[in-house]
Amino acid sequence: METKAAPKSSPHELESVTIRFAGDSGDGVQLVGTQFMKSSAMGGNVLSTLPDFPAEIRAPAGTPAGVSGFQIQLGSKDVYTPGDQPDVLVAFNPAALKANLADLRKGGTVICNRDAFTEKNLQLAGYPANPLLDGTLNGYQVFDIEIGKHTAAALADLGMSSKDVARCKNYFALGLMFWVYGRDPEPETKSIRTKFAKKEPVVAESNIRALQAGYTYGENAEMMVRYHVPSATIAPGRYRHITGNQATALGLAAAAKLAGRRLFLGSYPITPASEILHELSALKNHQVTTFQAEDEIAGVTSSIGAAFGGAIAATNTSGPGLALKSEGISLALMLELPLVIIDVQRGGPSTGLPTKTEQSDLLFAMYGRHGEAPLPILCAWTPADCFDTAIEAVRLATKYMTPVLMLTDGYLSLGAEPWRIPETDKLPKIEVKFRTEKEGFQPYQRDPKTLARPWAIPGTPGLEHRIGGLEKDALTGNISYDALNHEKMIKVRAEKVANIANDIPDLKVEGDQSGDLLVVGWGSTYGFIASAVKQARAKGKKVSHAHFRHLNPFPKNTEKVLKSFKKVLIPEMNSGQLHALLRQEFFLQATGMNKVQGKPFKVGELLAKIQEMC
């Protein structure tokens, strides 16, 4: 074990730092990480986070399988990712140290709760000897602190049980980190009082005392060093931190407001998509209706009913839930009603890795319906970008009278970043047109530009029409078994989706418009690719970056962009699904870089591959 004494001097200035909190699921790791993130955002830092949860609901306490983590990178300049390797690991028990030490950079800092390193906990973690004493941590800067003991001393006169006292140790760690990184504890103190003081004053007092005790420990400990990450230069405006699920929910609600319609979400809770339902259920006063259905099928079909009734309709799910919804999605496609389906991708197949991230649903989104059933497919790039992508999904669904699939993933949904709250007058317009004229009405007569059929709300006099899953006559919407009519309807539905390419932006290239290497990505790989390409270009490499938001149809200039470069690299958190689509569509000869580990890429991994290919 290596410790270094340091004089109390001015804080060391850092451009960025990556910190990981880790412990059992009951240790309050996610809370501590979130509060540290909020404090850093208030301090003017740019940041990105990566919460990490056990895959099992009741994973064995004290074991590596039960470890929960929260990683945050904060900086004074552009931060696109939660960081490759932590500079600091705060480990609440031996299992947290065991599960995370390999990720910590050599020479990094380990802050341990010494009280948790008991013989029993060491055995549960799989340590034959105490790593604080046997040389395991040689090469790291180590602070093994009796967090439990100090927390108990601070709360001694409150008459709390030992179990309740132990729950406050996370706030001791938070207070310590506030001191180390120069965070003002007063806003957090006020937040605790606001949350707990009236109903649970003892909880408020205990957490505040633990926070203060950790902060004071940092002040008095001779070996602790302070650091300062300067504020970033950011555009003026109102900001808040936001996760991908929060941004998706707000994007749907904003889109409904822009369209002048109610929003309806039919949903069945599933990890990691459930927070979209939670967020929207709190917006009842904003003409938002949420329905927690008994299963995925009821969730999607209730939303189809809402769309038929003229609402902005959405349904959300993850992994296996998309398969269960597939028949309902096909029904919405046959009815040609606007419906937004959000799929928060996770590790599969089956239950798979429900709390881990993947990009493995792209081909299912593309082809996972029976019959010829093409849908527009969008994907978000960052947590905050989920807001804009949700609005775009509603715009396309209502303009073209079609279901639209929006893909996010576990990393985006629960990760957070600062979000500049947009000015409402700068949001895109969503014009919803309902058919009201009785004269000449045909339920499947199409707009000559968009090929969309009219949206006629039930109860409009003279516009009564039949809907259902059986094939429709190309004009009347009546049931038709005519072979040529069926082929005509198949082709026109496909043409309608294909024509959306005329209504979306071109694929943008960041960097030179032609050259040696183009790195192509989609979805949540954006930050990792952008960082790696930026570093490679700084080293003189002729490499550029293009990132897809619209995956079906592709932007009109896609082939031109891809063929402007000698080599193309496609990193994906799957086994090569976008790679397969681009090869099929454009006969593209590219190199795939695939990672299916339930974890995002590291910038270093991508940079090494770029250097190899250049």
Side-chain angles (χ1 to χ4, degrees):
M1 182 175 71
E2 177 183 332
T3 57
K4 295 181 179 179
K8 297 294 182 182
S9 58
S10 299
H12 297 261
E13 188 160 303
L14 301 173
E15 183 177 304
S16 67
V17 65
T18 299
I19 301 164
R20 183 181 298 179
F21 298 91
D24 266 332
S25 293
D27 284 336
V29 168
Q30 302 302 324
L31 175 61
V32 145
T34 299
Q35 297 310 105
F36 188 78
M37 171 195 69
K38 291 179 180 179
S39 176
S40 298
M42 290 176 63
N45 294 131
V46 288
L47 54 88
S48 178
T49 70
L50 177 63
D52 188 26
F53 305 92
E56 300 174 67
I57 294 175
R58 296 184 183 274
T63 69
V67 170
S68 176
F70 188 103
Q71 183 163 309
I72 174 173
Q73 180 180 194
L74 54 106
S76 58
K77 296 183 179 179
D78 292 339
V79 170
Y80 297 109
T81 77
D84 280 8
Q85 291 181 295
D87 301 296
V88 181
L89 172 63
V90 181
F92 284 96
N93 63 7
L97 183 66
K98 181 86 168 183
N100 293 281
L101 184 60
D103 292 336
L104 185 66
R105 70 166 177 83
K106 268 300 182 187
T109 299
V110 178
I111 298 175
C112 285
N113 176 22
R114 188 195 307 170
D115 297 326
F117 282 70
T118 63
E119 184 176 345
K120 178 183 177 182
N121 286 344
L122 291 170
Q123 290 177 351
L124 287 170
Y127 277 121
N130 191 335
L132 301 179
L133 306 173
D134 68 357
T136 297
L137 299 180
N138 288 345
Y140 300 99
Q141 186 173 8
V142 181
F143 299 98
D144 54 323
I145 303 167
E146 294 174 309
I147 293 178
K149 178 181 176 180
H150 290 297
T151 303
L155 313 184
D157 62 339
L158 293 180
M160 299 171 65
S161 69
S162 57
K163 184 177 181 181
D164 287 338
V165 169
R167 288 175 178 164
C168 297
K169 64 181 181 291
N170 60 335
Y171 269 97
F172 181 96
L174 181 62
L176 176 62
M177 297 303 285
F178 272 19
W179 184 86
V180 171
Y181 290 97
R183 305 290 175 227
D184 181 5
E186 188 57 30
E188 182 65 22
T189 300
K190 289 180 179 178
S191 174
I192 295 169
R193 290 198 189 282
T194 301
K195 186 175 182 179
F196 295 110
K198 290 184 178 179
K199 294 183 179 180
E200 298 174 289
V202 174
V203 174
E205 181 64 22
S206 61
N207 285 332
I208 289 170
R209 285 196 190 185
L211 181 77
Q212 292 171 341
Y215 193 90
T216 302
Y217 181 92
E219 285 183 315
N220 296 327
E222 294 183 0
M223 291 182 291
M224 299 300 293
V225 182
R226 298 196 86 178
Y227 297 94
H228 174 61
V229 181
S231 299
T233 302
I234 58 176
R238 294 180 64 202
Y239 286 82
R240 60 161 284 183
H241 76 279
I242 199 165
T243 67
N245 279 342
Q246 290 171 336
T248 300
L250 291 177
L252 291 173
K257 284 287 187 182
L258 292 168
R261 305 301 300 169
R262 293 191 66 90
L263 173 66
F264 178 91
L265 179 81
S267 178
Y268 180 73
I270 184 170
T271 301
S274 301
E275 284 78 8
I276 297 172
L277 171 62
H278 301 165
E279 292 292 328
L280 286 176
S281 66
L283 300 180
K284 296 177 183 177
N285 295 333
H286 296 273
Q287 292 193 310
V288 174
T289 299
T290 54
F291 170 54
Q292 182 173 319
E294 66 269 26
D295 56 37
E296 296 283 6
I297 298 170
V300 65
T301 51
S302 65
S303 296
I304 292 172
F308 184 49
I312 301 300
T315 187
N316 67 306
T317 191
S318 181
L322 186 62
L324 292 168
K325 290 185 189 291
S326 62
E327 184 177 2
I329 296 170
S330 293
L331 174 60
L333 185 144
M334 176 65 82
L335 302 179
E336 297 189 52
L337 286 171
L339 172 67
V340 174
I341 308 107
I342 298 115
D343 174 31
V344 184
Q345 300 166 96
R346 70 187 204 186
S350 187
T351 308
L353 302 174
T355 62
K356 311 300 180 183
T357 194
E358 255 178 38
Q359 291 182 302
S360 53
D361 290 350
L362 176 55
L363 292 182
F364 190 86
M366 190 79 177
Y367 301 118
R369 290 163 298 283
H370 56 286
E372 299 289 338
L375 291 182
I377 302 171
L378 310 178
C379 60
W381 292 2
T382 70
D385 183 57
C386 291
F387 177 84
D388 297 311
T389 307
I391 292 177
E392 172 70 351
V394 172
R395 182 187 76 86
L396 293 179
T398 53
K399 183 174 182 177
Y400 291 89
M401 290 294 285
T402 178
V404 174
L405 238 166
M406 172 180 160
L407 298 174
T408 70
D409 59 38
Y411 164 59
L412 292 182
S413 66
L414 302 176
E417 64 180 352
W419 175 54
R420 185 183 180 189
I421 300 172
E423 298 175 27
T424 53
D425 60 349
K426 293 184 179 179
L427 293 173
K429 306 298 182 186
I430 298 180
E431 186 178 359
V432 171
K433 296 180 181 179
F434 294 110
R435 175 78 184 215
T436 57
E437 298 176 12
K438 177 181 177 181
E439 189 69 29
F441 172 66
Q442 295 284 4
Y444 280 81
Q445 188 174 23
R446 299 181 182 279
D447 181 287
K449 292 183 178 179
T450 64
L451 298 182
R453 79 173 186 91
W455 197 357
I457 297 179
T460 305
L463 303 188
E464 298 84 357
H465 60 286
R466 176 181 294 175
I467 65 170
L470 292 171
E471 184 61 277
K472 308 290 183 291
D473 178 80
L475 277 178
T476 67
N478 293 329
I479 296 171
S480 173
Y481 294 107
D482 180 79
L484 294 178
N485 177 79
H486 174 58
E487 185 169 9
K488 178 179 180 179
M489 291 294 276
I490 290 292
K491 289 181 178 179
V492 77
R493 286 191 290 260
E495 184 181 357
K496 178 172 69 171
V497 173
N499 284 348
I500 291 175
N502 299 316
D503 198 14
I504 60 177
D506 280 347
L507 181 63
K508 182 181 177 182
V509 177
E510 297 180 14
D512 299 326
Q513 301 305 296
S514 61
D516 292 339
L517 177 63
L518 177 68
V519 185
V520 174
W522 66 279
S524 67
T525 56
Y526 174 77
F528 304 93
I529 296 175
S531 297
V533 169
K534 183 177 180 181
Q535 292 181 31
R537 288 180 63 82
K539 296 180 184 218
K541 305 298 181 184
K542 296 180 179 180
V543 56
S544 300
H545 175 202
H547 217 78
F548 285 100
R549 169 170 282 106
H550 297 85
L551 295 165
N552 191 42
F554 288 122
K556 292 180 70 174
N557 69 328
T558 297
E559 184 172 18
K560 179 182 177 182
V561 167
L562 295 175
K563 295 189 175 178
S564 297
F565 292 83
K566 296 175 184 177
K567 297 179 182 179
V568 175
L569 172 65
I570 308 176
E572 301 181 74
M573 291 187 292
N574 57 43
S575 296
Q577 298 187 20
L578 177 63
H579 190 177
L581 291 176
L582 294 176
R583 183 169 58 240
Q584 171 185 298
E585 185 78 12
F586 304 111
F587 304 101
L588 176 69
Q589 298 298 314
T591 299
M593 182 177 180
N594 307 109
K595 183 174 183 177
V596 197
Q597 301 174 12
K599 298 179 180 180
F601 280 102
K602 293 181 178 179
V603 174
E605 295 172 337
L606 295 172
L607 182 59
K609 186 66 176 178
I610 289 170
Q611 292 174 327
E612 173 193 321
M613 291 189 67
C614 284

